[in-house]
Amino acid sequence: MKTLLRGGYVVSGRGCRRADVLIDGEKVEMLGHIPPELAAQSEVVDVTGCMLFPGFIDAHTHFDLDVCNTTTADDFESGSKSAIRGGTTTVIDFACPNKGESLAYGLDLWHKKADGKCYCDYGFHMTIDDWNETIEREIDDMYAEGISSFKMYMTYPAMMIGDEAMYKALKKLKEKGGICGVHCENSGVIDALVAEKKAKGENAVSCHPQTRPDYLEAEAVGRILRIAQAAEAPVVIVHTTNAAALSEIDQARTRGQVVYSETCPQYLALDDSVYYQEDWLSSAKFVCSPPIRKKADQDALWAGLKEGRVNTVSTDHCSFTTQQKLVGQGDFTTIPGGLPGVETRGEVVYTTGVAAGRIDLPTLCRALSENPAKLYGLYPRKGVLAPGSDADIVIYDPGDSHVIRAEDCVANVDYNPYEGFVTAGGIREVWLRGRKTVENGKVLDTVPAGMYLARGKCDL
């Protein structure tokens, strides 16, 4: 039997309109006024007064990742279950082979971690943390496996490959029509600042943001954009955190470069006061890289989203328990860096953005659904509610406000960065490929039903 969602407002990147949605199997069949004869043959779900978004896409997660001498608290089972509860029907995680390992090995390993364990649909980016003739030849194989996006790091010695290798990699990816995201921080100067802090015997959590200042992120953004200019290749600046970095992106676009910018909820909703709390552990919970910035940077990112200069909002979900965070108590550089966020992204960004008057509904839809689908080769199957698209639907009830509490979440962590946050409305239901999978905060599926998505080229 077909399903008819009646009485809601369908949100797209172009606007919001009153329209019913008819679902046939896994696909959207029709929007707007549904003929009575079809309605009579369908199961009707009343969504009066609710907003219907295309399923959210989180294109930046780290599930089951070995890092900082530990493993992230969320694997693909708990992480994807957390995602679907929060309206994210597709995640794109990072396959991360170590130096000396092949891309094929990394991809196979991530399939073993994820296949049969995901509650939402999923895909992979491929991390490039080594560059040689063998890796270069493997790029073609990645496209054959549905991997059309990659990532490089300008910090972390185990993952950096240097300017020359980044240039060569970007040239190769451009040749194939691929896209590359880059983590931008100046590793060398950060190391020097850390050494100075340690020489002075300083070890507070506040040393973390002080040794990773905004201008060193901006310097790295400017450098990779000049390298990309030489390679004539597009790039994605992942987790953009501050006004100075965004200014570098603006300048590159003025030069005619193709640059995409991603930010995260923590940089939109929180500020660096989280690192100056009296209790060490309370501050350590917020350690992530790049760090959370100042209120002025938060305002700049919101303006960037509103104006289309910031394209997507992902989470960089990289979760650790408080026990794991405690490992860094004697050395602030060993605090595992990362936050949970995939479960709360939609409600946090809706509340701090739409309800606060900073952005409108179409902008939210573009940032959470449409733009990541286009950027990472999933559109129009994902990212839009239209005839023929997957029936991935988030039913958002503006009257269903509630308080975010870690104890209510399904992520495998014992705290939440937004503890006590009062939402403006909430997610009533989530549909994945035509099936209701979440209702009133409860994940209905008892068996993971997510499927791997082979992706095409960037279309943003």
Side-chain angles (χ1 to χ4, degrees), residues 215-376:
Y215 54 83
L216 290 185
E217 179 185 342
E219 184 279 332
V221 169
R223 182 155 40 98
I224 191 59
L225 290 179
R226 288 300 189 179
I227 294 170
Q229 183 182 20
E232 298 181 333
V235 289
V236 183
I237 305 302
V238 300
H239 45 49
T240 308
T241 75
N242 65 81
L246 192 53
S247 176
E248 295 287 343
I249 294 169
D250 291 338
Q251 291 175 49
R253 287 171 174 158
T254 300
R255 294 193 297 266
Q257 289 183 245
V258 177
V259 188
Y260 306 99
S261 172
E262 167 201 274
T263 193
C264 306
Q266 57 266 35
Y267 306 123
L268 294 168
L270 305 173
D271 62 63
D272 65 348
S273 64
V274 296
Y275 298 120
Y276 295 88
Q277 301 179 74
E278 189 171 332
D279 176 63
W280 182 92
L281 182 57
S282 295
S283 292
K285 291 176 182 177
F286 293 92
V287 167
C288 58
S289 294
I292 295 163
R293 305 298 187 185
K294 298 187 180 302
K295 180 66 165 57
D297 296 305
Q298 187 185 102
D299 293 339
L301 293 173
W302 279 116
L305 264 177
K306 181 178 181 179
E307 296 160 8
R309 293 154 49 229
V310 176
N311 306 104
T312 67
V313 179
S314 301
T315 61
D316 196 7
H317 182 103
C318 189
S319 60
F320 300 97
T321 64
T322 52
Q323 193 63 38
Q324 287 174 298
K325 291 281 188 178
L326 281 168
V327 171
Q329 198 159 12
D331 179 353
F332 73 91
T333 65
T334 62
I335 301 170
L339 304 177
V342 74
E343 192 164 349
T344 52
R345 175 182 58 146
E347 293 180 343
V348 167
V349 180
Y350 178 92
T351 301
T352 56
V354 175
R358 291 185 171 107
I359 59 173
D360 58 16
L361 286 169
T363 300
L364 181 69
C365 183
R366 288 193 296 272
L368 298 188
S369 303
E370 185 176 302
N371 283 352
K374 290 181 175 179
L375 181 59
Y376 295 115

Side-chain angles (χ1 to χ4, degrees), residues 65-140:
L65 177 66
D66 296 326
V67 63
C68 301
N69 298 312
T70 186
T71 303
T72 52
D74 281 305
D75 60 12
F76 278 88
E77 185 170 358
S78 65
S80 65
K81 193 172 187 178
S82 173
I84 199 79
R85 183 177 182 270
T88 292
T89 53
T90 300
V91 297
I92 310 178
D93 202 83
F94 291 89
C96 297
N98 296 314
K99 286 185 185 296
E101 295 174 347
S102 68
L103 302 186
Y105 174 83
L107 180 57
D108 180 64
L109 178 60
W110 251 255
H111 271 298
K112 289 176 179 175
K113 290 172 183 270
D115 292 353
K117 301 172 186 174
C118 287
Y119 283 84
C120 64
D121 288 351
Y122 62 100
F124 304 125
H125 309 285
M126 177 55 63
T127 300
I128 298 174
D129 57 14
D130 211 351
W131 190 255
N132 50 51
E133 291 182 357
T134 301
I135 297 293
E136 184 173 358
R137 286 194 298 269
E138 282 194 285
I139 297 295
D140 293 344

Side-chain angles (χ1 to χ4, degrees), residues 7-26:
Y9 294 84
V10 172
V11 185
S12 74
R14 295 170 302 285
C16 180
R17 67 187 178 102
R18 166 70 180 83
D20 296 338
V21 179
L22 184 65
I23 301 169
D24 184 9
E26 295 192 347

